[in-house]
Amino acid sequence: MNGNLLEAYKQTVYPVLGHGPRNLQVLKEAFEHQDGDRDSDIYGTGMLIEEFQSKIADCLGKEAAVFFPSGTMAQQIALRIWCDDKGIKKVAYHPLSHLEIHEQDGLKELHHIESVLLADAGSLIQLEDVLGMQDDIACLLLELPQREIGGQLPEFQELEAISAYCLRKGIRLHLDGARLFEILPYYQKSAAEICDLFDSVYVSFYKGIGGIAGAVLAGSEAFTKESKVWKRRYGGDLISLYPYIISADYYFNQRLHKMEQYYEEAKEFAGLFNQCHGAATIPAEPVSNMFHVRFDVSKERLEPILIAVYEETGIGLIASIKETGGMTCQCEVNIGDCYASVPKTELRNAFQLLDAKLRTVD
Amino acid sequence: MNGNLLEAYKQTVYPVLGHGPRNLQVLKEAFEHQDGDRDSDIYGTGMLIEEFQSKIADCLGKEAAVFFPSGTMAQQIALRIWCDDKGIKKVAYHPLSHLEIHEQDGLKELHHIESVLLADAGSLIQLEDVLGMQDDIACLLLELPQREIGGQLPEFQELEAISAYCLRKGIRLHLDGARLFEILPYYQKSAAEICDLFDSVYVSFYKGIGGIAGAVLAGSEAFTKESKVWKRRYGGDLISLYPYIISADYYFNQRLHKMEQYYEEAKEFAGLFNQCHGAATIPAEPVSNMFHVRFDVSKERLEPILIAVYEETGIGLIASIKETGGMTCQCEVNIGDCYASVPKTELRNAFQLLDAKLRTVD
């Protein structure tokens, strides 16, 4: 059924989400004006990779940064290094952390590191959760924003308090910053100001930035040096990572300054959902370019409604839906370049139609 | 000093080795005629990745194949699966296996798998070594050709005997086929005929094939299915691997049928080295597109000689040299597309000059 919705979404004149289709054009555009004579990176060395790593290290205010094929690899390695450092094989993170639900238990299977889950699945980790945490934790991982609950964020003062506590207790603090750039407008802070609260940071280049794949892990010289050894052990030290680096750099330059725009547009878009019968966004007002929408109707009943709206208006609002119990369903929304080109009148019309149709369900 | 030699090599009109510089043009060429509308692979799914995996599985005569970012990742995973399968955490391979010398002990650090080293470092693994092996081995890994000793190969009958023995003993046999396509002309066998002796196979797409990076792991449906779980655990299940897949496919189509040519040229090129004073190739006659050259002169004395030859003739013979004891040194040679465009008279002249200069060293 998701297949049908996705197909209908793709057929619309104005698909609203993200930066557009994930197709080969993403790479072709990034390489179009690249000089073919430029040398590949070679096993983590060479100007091409080193310059990008320096640039991102500077942006994050860290001593050094290492480019990785994926965040999964980068974060497991970060946690392993901190565990080895402390001589404790235990870390703490949110129950819906990427490590807990999307990595086939890599951290446990490859490193035998135990995870302590903080906070309820539906809530953010608060200072209170950290204060109540067992003492024998090598590292606390915080994900900002917390993707699986709609991209929620704690207040900055809360972060500062958590960071100060961890520093005092000798607990390493790692930032899952897969969407770090996307939250700068809400906090009104630089990336470096946020990262300053953390010992190590991972950022991704294919979420808000819209590159092809790839991640950076940043921290002290000693930490990043050790991460390169593990990168080699994982088979992540590819002879050439430049297809990801070039495109990461290209879209980073193109979109970093647009995060404020995406954030404002996300708030506007969420407002339109919240005016619909039986629909509510999580969080009620987005704090980044993303949010979730919860519908008080089953996935089976919502999908044909959405498809009808898409076909009547040419506006694609949601690409896929997840069932959350029999009578509710939920979806994730990300704002990127596409939103700005959707005519606002037609977008409002689409939501009026959606609202009308949702009212007929009860 | 290698820097100087490499620089001089790059400055020559005719660099002899490989397919040419590893620069961005390699990717640009592969993507030039690709349709930008073609969909990315998504986390290991989608036509783009599935079609290529099927094509390579067919070529290797295996039920299924999985594309990996690297051979390091693919092979550790293969060995882990076979160890789990047998309930034994011990594998056997050559002392100069990639796993033993180039992976920062990933197999041991990530999987706690013990390695039993078969044969002397300078020799091939023979049936005799396998017969003398302890019984509690989950998997034997054979690398064909054995890269670190010049790309040597056992006779096919020897392979058949090793395979039959492993089958009888219930020992899994894995092929490190980083350079599998390069040995087909010597064996006069298809890839499938060779792979039929093995339970699992890894092949690379950036050696003789000359792609950007990437590898395939092939075997039974059950084996490859499990390898995908581990690929996710490793952080190798990238949202998009297409930059590597497209280029692997492009250069595979372009170069698979040229392996015979590279092999013949490698024999010719090795013959020229063997006519030089104090130089000898390993093996004496190449069995693939690669070989090593051993010089009875120190690296410090050989480098200026080579640089002088390059400058006088415009022919680049070797890009880097490794010291092997005070009075000898060694290098690796790979033949690809470049060799065919080197004028033969000038190549012979370069070797005459090299020979003359080597004679003055004693």
Side-chain angles (χ1 to χ4, degrees):
Chain A
M1 281 306 276
N2 253 329
N4 292 347
L5 181 64
L6 182 62
E7 272 319 302
Y9 174 83
K10 284 183 180 174
Q11 297 300 318
T12 58
V13 186
Y14 295 109
V16 173
L17 309 173
H19 301 301
R22 286 190 63 86
N23 60 22
L24 272 49
Q25 191 54 35
V26 176
L27 181 138
K28 286 171 79 94
E29 183 186 328
F31 275 78
E32 201 177 341
H33 299 290
Q34 283 289 328
D35 181 359
D37 284 340
R38 199 172 166 195
D39 282 335
S40 170
D41 54 310
I42 301 280
Y43 296 118
T45 66
M47 263 176 53
L48 194 150
I49 188 167
E50 286 162 17
E51 283 182 358
F52 185 66
Q53 289 175 163
S54 292
K55 174 177 170 169
I56 301 302
D58 287 350
C59 167
L60 303 178
K62 294 294 181 196
E63 273 178 28
V66 182
F67 193 88
F68 277 83
S70 74
T72 296
M73 190 184 292
Q75 295 209 109
Q76 287 178 17
I77 287 173
L79 296 185
R80 171 63 187 258
I81 292 172
W82 294 138
C83 281
D84 284 355
D85 192 46
K86 298 284 292 181
I88 299 170
K89 295 216 135 211
K90 207 185 283 182
V91 297
Y93 49 60
H94 191 270
L96 299 181
S97 165
H98 197 273
L99 288 124
E100 194 67 14
I101 65 173
H102 290 307
E103 302 181 9
Q104 293 276 2
D105 277 338
L107 190 71
K108 290 157 198 170
E109 294 286 342
L110 289 166
H111 299 285
H112 309 284
I113 291 174
E114 191 187 328
S115 61
V116 174
L117 305 180
L118 295 188
D120 292 332
S123 313
L124 285 172
I125 294 175
Q126 307 278 355
L127 176 61
E128 195 185 356
D129 302 302
V130 179
L131 295 176
M133 189 167 78
Q134 322 157 225
D135 255 358
D136 60 340
I137 298 286
C139 178
L140 167 62
L141 176 148
L142 292 183
E143 183 186 347
L144 304 179
Q146 195 74 49
R147 183 235 178 136
E148 299 288 346
I149 52 171
Q152 297 181 49
L153 281 180
E155 291 310 308
F156 197 73
Q157 291 71 10
E158 184 98 16
L159 281 184
E160 289 177 314
I162 292 173
S163 173
Y165 176 80
C166 287
L167 185 63
R168 205 158 57 238
K169 285 285 193 175
I171 298 165
R172 297 297 188 170
L173 192 57
H174 171 79
L175 172 57
D176 178 341
R179 294 163 183 81
L180 171 65
F181 304 120
E182 293 87 322
I183 62 173
L184 305 184
Y186 174 76
Y187 279 138
Q188 288 291 305
K189 301 277 180 196
S190 69
E193 283 170 317
I194 297 171
C195 294
D196 193 42
L197 303 178
F198 295 85
D199 295 291
S200 55
V201 180
Y202 138 69
V203 292
S204 169
F205 294 99
Y206 69 89
K207 277 94 187 185
I209 299 295
I212 296 170
V216 147
L217 185 62
S220 70
E221 279 291 352
F223 170 84
T224 52
K225 191 176 167 201
E226 203 173 340
S227 80
K228 288 181 185 177
V229 175
W230 282 104
K231 181 182 167 190
R232 170 59 63 106
R233 287 179 180 143
Y234 263 70
D237 191 19
L238 305 196
I239 184 166
S240 297
L241 282 165
Y242 73 80
Y244 299 132
I245 299 168
I246 296 277
S247 43
D249 195 30
Y250 177 81
Y251 292 108
F252 181 82
N253 293 338
Q254 208 165 81
R255 294 187 178 130
L256 184 62
H257 66 278
K258 294 172 87 176
M259 294 298 160
E260 177 88 41
Q261 173 196 322
Y262 302 152
Y263 168 51
E264 293 301 330
E265 290 169 337
K267 285 189 284 186
E268 179 181 277
F269 195 42
L272 291 167
F273 276 110
N274 284 321
Q275 285 165 24
C276 282
H277 181 77
T281 66
I282 306 164
E285 179 171 283
V287 290
S288 70
N289 74 323
M290 75 164 289
F291 56 89
H292 285 186
V293 190
R294 186 192 147 100
F295 294 92
D296 291 334
V297 55
S298 71
K299 180 179 150 151
E300 284 65 32
R301 300 191 75 172
L302 179 58
E303 279 190 346
I305 290 175
L306 285 170
I307 292 172
V309 171
Y310 299 173
E311 286 172 354
E312 272 187 65
T313 64
I315 309 271
L317 302 174
I318 295 166
S320 79
I321 297 176
K322 214 167 66 180
E323 220 174 70
T324 48
M327 290 310 291
T328 60
C329 62
Q330 204 162 310
C331 71
E332 183 172 292
V333 165
N334 284 283
I335 296 300
D337 285 350
C338 289
Y339 190 88
S341 57
V342 181
K344 289 299 148 61
T345 314
E346 297 181 30
L347 182 62
R348 275 189 299 269
N349 289 346
F351 271 102
Q352 274 165 16
L353 189 59
L354 176 61
D355 179 48
K357 286 180 185 286
L358 284 172
R359 285 177 194 279
T360 67
V361 173
D362 297 335
Chain B
M1 282 304 280
N2 254 329
N4 292 346
L5 181 64
L6 182 61
E7 272 319 301
Y9 174 83
K10 284 184 180 171
Q11 296 301 318
T12 58
V13 186
Y14 295 111
V16 173
L17 308 174
H19 301 300
R22 287 190 62 86
N23 60 25
L24 270 50
Q25 191 53 35
V26 176
L27 181 138
K28 285 171 80 96
E29 183 186 326
F31 275 78
E32 199 177 342
H33 299 292
Q34 283 290 329
D35 182 359
D37 285 340
R38 202 173 164 195
D39 282 336
S40 171
D41 53 310
I42 301 280
Y43 296 118
T45 66
M47 265 177 52
L48 193 151
I49 188 167
E50 285 162 17
E51 283 182 358
F52 185 67
Q53 289 176 163
S54 292
K55 174 177 171 171
I56 301 301
D58 287 351
C59 167
L60 303 178
K62 294 296 180 196
E63 276 178 26
V66 181
F67 193 88
F68 278 83
S70 74
T72 296
M73 191 185 290
Q75 296 210 108
Q76 287 178 16
I77 288 173
L79 297 185
R80 171 62 188 258
I81 292 171
W82 294 137
C83 281
D84 283 356
D85 193 47
K86 298 286 291 183
I88 298 171
K89 296 217 134 208
K90 208 185 281 184
V91 297
Y93 50 60
H94 192 271
L96 299 182
S97 165
H98 197 273
L99 289 123
E100 194 65 16
I101 65 172
H102 290 306
E103 302 181 8
Q104 293 276 4
D105 277 338
L107 190 71
K108 291 159 197 169
E109 295 285 343
L110 289 167
H111 301 286
H112 308 285
I113 292 174
E114 191 186 328
S115 62
V116 174
L117 306 179
L118 294 187
D120 292 332
S123 313
L124 285 171
I125 293 174
Q126 308 278 353
L127 176 61
E128 195 186 356
D129 302 304
V130 179
L131 295 177
M133 192 168 73
Q134 322 157 225
D135 255 358
D136 59 341
I137 298 287
C139 178
L140 167 61
L141 175 148
L142 292 183
E143 182 186 348
L144 302 179
Q146 196 73 49
R147 183 237 179 138
E148 299 288 346
I149 54 172
Q152 296 180 50
L153 281 179
E155 290 310 308
F156 197 74
Q157 291 72 12
E158 183 98 15
L159 280 184
E160 289 177 312
I162 292 173
S163 173
Y165 176 80
C166 287
L167 185 63
R168 206 158 58 240
K169 285 286 193 176
I171 298 165
R172 298 297 189 169
L173 193 57
H174 171 80
L175 172 56
D176 177 340
R179 294 163 184 80
L180 172 65
F181 305 119
E182 292 87 322
I183 63 172
L184 305 183
Y186 174 77
Y187 279 137
Q188 288 291 305
K189 301 278 180 196
S190 69
E193 284 169 318
I194 296 172
C195 294
D196 192 43
L197 303 177
F198 295 84
D199 296 290
S200 54
V201 180
Y202 138 70
V203 292
S204 168
F205 294 99
Y206 68 90
K207 278 94 187 186
I209 298 297
I212 296 170
V216 148
L217 185 63
S220 70
E221 279 290 354
F223 170 83
T224 51
K225 189 176 168 202
E226 204 174 337
S227 80
K228 287 181 187 177
V229 175
W230 283 105
K231 183 182 167 191
R232 170 60 63 105
R233 286 178 180 145
Y234 264 70
D237 192 18
L238 304 195
I239 184 165
S240 296
L241 282 165
Y242 74 78
Y244 299 130
I245 298 168
I246 295 277
S247 43
D249 196 29
Y250 176 82
Y251 292 109
F252 182 82
N253 293 339
Q254 207 166 81
R255 296 193 177 125
L256 184 62
H257 66 278
K258 295 173 86 177
M259 295 297 162
E260 178 87 42
Q261 173 196 322
Y262 303 152
Y263 167 51
E264 294 301 330
E265 291 169 336
K267 286 190 285 188
E268 181 181 277
F269 195 42
L272 291 167
F273 276 110
N274 284 320
Q275 284 165 28
C276 283
H277 181 77
T281 67
I282 306 164
E285 181 170 282
V287 291
S288 71
N289 73 326
M290 76 164 289
F291 55 88
H292 286 185
V293 191
R294 186 192 145 100
F295 294 93
D296 292 334
V297 54
S298 71
K299 179 177 150 155
E300 284 65 32
R301 300 191 75 170
L302 180 57
E303 279 190 346
I305 291 176
L306 286 168
I307 292 172
V309 171
Y310 300 174
E311 286 173 355
E312 270 186 66
T313 65
I315 309 272
L317 303 172
I318 295 165
S320 78
I321 298 176
K322 213 167 68 181
E323 220 173 70
T324 49
M327 291 309 291
T328 62
C329 62
Q330 204 162 308
C331 70
E332 184 172 290
V333 165
N334 284 282
I335 297 298
D337 286 349
C338 288
Y339 190 88
S341 57
V342 181
K344 288 301 148 62
T345 314
E346 298 181 30
L347 182 61
R348 275 190 297 271
N349 289 347
F351 272 102
Q352 275 166 16
L353 189 60
L354 176 61
D355 179 48
K357 285 181 185 285
L358 285 171
R359 284 177 196 278
T360 65
V361 172
D362 296 337

